[in-house]
């Protein structure tokens, strides 16, 4: 078998910095698959550009609340399990909230989920699966992560009208469950 994997450490010279490369060979031809520079993350398939290096990976949990303002305002903690994975500048988050309460929130204010693990770098729609939903208005609910914030706002799309933010009184307190999944840029 002529296939091999070679790990090669290249030391620093006057014109380049040191790195560790993983190369593979098929039929005697070596190709670089992964490079670990001495600084700046890891690159793939011979790419050496620092801008393309994978330099951040993180997994964790986040603690959201249901709120009546994008910052400040009144908030109630959401009960459930909420996780995220951050790879480079992309965040994938998911969670399940059960029987969230709007008690103490101002009835006419917009509804937000606060506490996203990172501030968003762009406005992004996300998906939510609802259970036991009992809202006053009818239409399609579109959650979106707002640019420059770490919140999700709920908009309602109704036929022949512009989207409107959902307000606290649109939700039946203590009965609504939802699952969330979102991917956004930081």
């Amino acid at each position: 078998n002529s296939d091999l994997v070679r790990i090669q450490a290249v030391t620093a010279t006057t014109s380049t910095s040191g790195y560790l490369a993983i190369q593979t060979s098929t039929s005697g031809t070596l190709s670089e698959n992964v490079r670990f520079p001495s600084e700046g993350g890891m690159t793939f398939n011979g790419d050496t550009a620092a801008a393309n290096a994978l330099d951040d990976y993180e997994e964790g949990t986040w603690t959201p609340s249901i709120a009546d303002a994008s910052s400040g305002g009144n908030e109630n903690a959401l009960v459930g399990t909420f996780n995220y994975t951050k790879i480079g500048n992309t965040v994938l988050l998911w969670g399940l909230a059960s029987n969230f309460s709007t008690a103490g929130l101002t009835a006419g204010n917009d509804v937000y989920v606060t506490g996203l693990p990172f501030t968003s770098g762009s406005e992004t729609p996300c998906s939510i699966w609802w259970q036991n939903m009992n809202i006053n208005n009818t239409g399609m609910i579109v959650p979106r992560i707002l640019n420059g914030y770490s919140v999700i706002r709920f908009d309602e799309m109704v036929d022949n009208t512009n989207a409107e933010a959902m307000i606290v009184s649109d939700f039946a307190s203590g009965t609504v469950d939802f699952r969330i999944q979102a991917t956004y840029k930081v």
Side-chain angles (χ1 to χ4, degrees):
N1 186 345
S2 62
D3 294 345
L4 75 103
V5 173
R6 180 171 84 172
I7 298 176
Q8 175 186 17
V10 177
T11 58
T13 67
T14 56
S15 62
T16 63
S17 61
Y19 62 90
L20 175 67
I22 297 177
Q23 299 176 322
T24 58
S25 172
T26 305
S27 303
T29 304
L30 278 174
S31 63
E32 184 176 293
N33 298 99
V34 180
R35 177 181 288 213
F36 300 91
S38 59
E39 55 186 60
M42 113 178 111
T43 59
F44 300 92
N45 300 319
D47 189 346
T48 59
N52 296 335
L54 177 57
D55 60 358
D56 187 17
Y57 180 88
E58 182 179 331
E59 292 182 5
T61 60
W62 57 291
T63 306
S65 294
I66 195 83
D68 61 6
S70 61
S71 61
N74 303 303
E75 295 188 29
N76 293 331
L78 288 172
V79 176
T81 304
F82 305 93
N83 299 286
Y84 72 88
T85 300
K86 181 176 183 280
I87 303 170
N89 67 352
T90 303
V91 178
L92 170 64
L93 61 84
W94 62 98
L96 167 63
S98 299
N99 301 321
F100 71 79
S101 172
T102 58
L105 304 182
T106 304
N109 286 9
D110 297 350
V111 175
Y112 299 88
V113 171
T114 63
L116 272 62
F118 302 95
T119 300
S120 175
S122 63
E123 189 165 310
T124 307
C126 54
S127 62
I128 290 187
W129 171 82
W130 299 95
Q131 183 172 312
N132 301 323
M133 190 66 169
N134 183 18
I135 60 171
N136 297 327
N137 296 328
T138 58
M140 179 174 66
I141 301 168
V142 178
R144 61 187 169 113
I145 299 170
L146 300 180
N147 183 26
Y149 292 89
S150 56
V151 302
I152 298 171
R153 187 176 97 175
F154 301 100
D155 288 338
E156 183 176 25
M157 311 296 278
V158 180
D159 191 30
N160 293 321
T161 64
N162 291 328
E164 292 183 5
M166 296 188 71
I167 58 175
V168 172
S169 59
D170 287 336
F171 293 87
S173 184
T175 64
V176 178
D177 302 336
F178 69 85
R179 293 180 192 270
I180 184 168
Q181 180 175 348
T183 302
Y184 67 100
K185 298 285 189 184
V186 295

